[in-house]
């Protein structure tokens, strides 16, 4: 027998309508690329999102079509977060830090007919456009006064909005309809698109607003230091609409000084971002002789890479409750959150920070297990490590366009490529990564592509690239090379050779020559052994220790 409750679809537009109705006046602050500060509200965001949806429809965007963005965190990008899915289309946020071939691939694969971008990306868009076979309209996210002269191939976002009434009733449709598309390079092979739905997005927003989740509420003023092109800015835009929180969008400026000044000016209570951003913030405070206690935050979420314990400690010393969460593009992204349990409250602060330095516990809706190489379950005893498997209503069921084939096992579990242990209370601690990629400052570097590029050098017999610890970027690539007999290439020769073949920030921080490379029982490179052996290579090299 079915229950007799209303079956109302969970739609992103309903989040915005709620914010407009109950939090109309609460502020959205934005530092757009053209400079200055723009203050708007949830009420204005809702109106402008409706105008945006009307403008996109006028450009020929239909339900199901992708609309791509190459843009920083601004009010205009936030409006598109609601306008595009609200009309039943799919917001395809693209990371402008990727290099040209990846951007080509991702944009062509997503096949958006409309690309909306910030003015500083004009040259990039001009270089990409001839290869983007589906692209029909290029919309610059700016006003008429800042539009480039003599470019009648470009449309102005503000002009498009000004032509619309905003008189639109958001359409109702199936909550499983696709809402957002985000490509991840955190796996082997071509980047893969994770296709979120309205349902997964709204459920994930509930999680963000839970007290033991990210504790987001109407009382927060959130500095969004994670880009809108990184997994839906970790879901915060949608969660902020759900609870009506104030949102502060720093635009292109993610340096320590800009973040500090904006956070102070807007009395930000909460912020979130990758460790590199916070390391930059503390460096600025130190250089400028500013007491970290002046930071206005009450809570601070570190994610995207392992939060260094020392960083958590610095925030806590400043009276800020910093904590860690784990997730991935494929999990929308938040899956686990480190929160103190009642019995941890009795512990000295040092030990509390140990708890918060773990990746955290599964939030309701997320199921976790660890498995051995044979796929068998391993105990949650805090000592055994295995591959972390995840299942839940905001976890991917497959990549866009079927790329990568079937990604779930027979029981619906997704293999994360992260290696972890889980203790008896359910706390996850990540210990390694089985996927062959390196995460530097929150962005992916493919070790396989670096190895393949190095193999093109005449003196290289074998090459292995592993991610090793780095104080600022958490991980940087280190290349280990076996020279061909008689080969005499130096580390600099190899780096010079790679320079033209990969983007600059991918270049290994060092090249070390070795006589052999460790292999697993099945004859594959044993990167676990290499990572262990070289983990401190760059740290000791930099400190001269
Ligand atoms: P992405 O899909 O780009 O969001 O990257 C997800 C990956 O980042 C995960 O599979 C982990 O390898 C890594 N990651 C994310 N959060 C954490 C964390 N708190 N600690 C360690 N690694 C993390």
């Amino acid at each position: 027998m079915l229950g007799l409750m209303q079956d109302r679809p969970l739609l992103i537009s309903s989040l915005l309508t709620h914010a407009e109705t109950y939090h109309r006046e609460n502020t959205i602050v934005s530092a757009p690329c053209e400079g200055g500060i723009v203050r708007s509200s949830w009420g204005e965001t809702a109106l402008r999102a409706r105008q945006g949806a009307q403008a996109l429809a006028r450009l020929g965007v239909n339900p199901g079509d992708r609309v791509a963005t190459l843009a920083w965190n601004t009010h205009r990008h936030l409006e598109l977060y609601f306008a595009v899915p609200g009309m039943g289309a799919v917001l395809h946020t693209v990371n402008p830090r990727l290099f040209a071939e990846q951007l080509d691939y991702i944009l062509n694969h997503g096949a958006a007919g409309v690309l909306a971008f910030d003015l500083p990306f004009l040259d990039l868009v001009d270089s990409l456009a001839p290869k983007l076979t589906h692209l029909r309209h290029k919309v610059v996210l700016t006003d008429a006064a800042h539009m480039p002269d003599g470019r009648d191939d470009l449309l102005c976002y503000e002009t498009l909005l000004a032509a619309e009434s905003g008189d639109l009733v958001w359409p109702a449709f199936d909550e499983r309809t696709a809402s957002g598309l985000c490509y991840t390079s955190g796996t082997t092979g071509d980047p893969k698109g994770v296709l979120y739905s309205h349902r997964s997005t709204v459920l994930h927003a509930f999680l963000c607003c839970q007290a033991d989740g990210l504790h987001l509420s109407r009382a927060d003023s959130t500095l969004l230091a994670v880009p809108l092109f990184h997994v839906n800015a970790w879901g915060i835009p949608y969660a902020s609409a759900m609870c009506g929180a104030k949102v502060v969008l720093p635009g292109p400026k993610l340096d320590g000084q800009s973040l500090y000044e904006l956070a102070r000016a807007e009395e930000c209570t909460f912020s979130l971002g990758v460790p590199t951003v916070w390391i930059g913030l503390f460096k600025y405070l130190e250089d400028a002789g500013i007491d970290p206690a002046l930071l206005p935050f009450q809570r601070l979420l570190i994610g995207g890479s392992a939060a260094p314990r020392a960083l958590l400690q610095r925030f806590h010393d400043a009276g800020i409750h910093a904590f860690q969460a784990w997730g991935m593009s494929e999990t929308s992204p938040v899956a686990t959150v480190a929160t103190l349990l009642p019995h941890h409250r009795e512990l000295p602060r040092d030990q509390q920070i140990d708890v918060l330095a773990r990746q955290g516990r599964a939030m309701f809706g997320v199921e976790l297990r660890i498995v051995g190489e044979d796929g068998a379950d391993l105990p949650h005893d805090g000592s055994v490590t295995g591959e972390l498997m995840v299942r839940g209503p905001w976890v991917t069921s497959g990549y866009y366009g079927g790329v990568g084939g079937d990604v779930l096992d027979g029981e619906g579990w997704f293999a994360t490529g992260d290696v972890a242990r889980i203790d008896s209370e359910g706390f996850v601690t990540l210990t390694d990564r089985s996927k062959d990629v390196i995460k530097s400052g929150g962005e992916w570097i493919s070790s396989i592509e670096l190895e393949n590029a190095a193999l093109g050098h005449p003196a290289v017999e074998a090459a292995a690239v592993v991610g090793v610890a780095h104080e600022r970027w958490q991980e940087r690539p280190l290349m280990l090379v076996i020279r061909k007999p008689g080969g005499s290439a130096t580390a600099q020769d190899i780096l010079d050779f790679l320079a033209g073949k990969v983007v600059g920030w991918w270049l290994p921080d060092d090249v070390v020559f070795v006589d052999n490379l460790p292999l697993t029982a099945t004859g594959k490179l044993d990167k676990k052994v290499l990572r262990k052996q070289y983990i401190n290579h760059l740290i000791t090299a930099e400190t001269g220790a």
Side-chain angles (χ1 to χ4, degrees), residues 304-306 324-329 359 418 430 433 435 439 444:
S305 290
Q324 178 164 208
W326 166 85
M328 51 200 308
S329 306
Q359 274 70 25
D418 284 324
L430 253 59
R433 201 180 282 140
K435 43 199 174 195
K439 207 170 195 194
W444 293 109

Side-chain angles (χ1 to χ4, degrees), residues 1-74:
M1 181 164 60
L2 292 178
L4 288 171
M5 304 308 283
Q6 297 183 9
D7 191 11
R8 303 284 299 157
L10 300 172
L11 296 180
I12 286 172
S13 55
S14 63
L15 296 173
L16 188 60
T17 301
H18 177 79
E20 183 182 24
T21 311
Y22 293 101
H23 309 283
R24 164 178 287 274
E25 303 301 332
N26 206 17
T27 327
I28 309 294
V29 179
S30 161
C33 296
E34 54 267 28
I37 291 284
V38 174
R39 306 185 80 81
S40 64
S41 63
W42 278 114
E44 280 168 75
T45 302
L47 171 63
R48 286 165 56 87
R50 288 194 297 270
Q51 289 172 315
Q54 288 174 314
L56 288 168
R58 208 178 288 282
L59 294 180
V61 174
N62 287 310
D65 289 351
R66 274 75 60 210
V67 173
T69 59
L70 270 171
W72 296 113
N73 291 8
T74 70

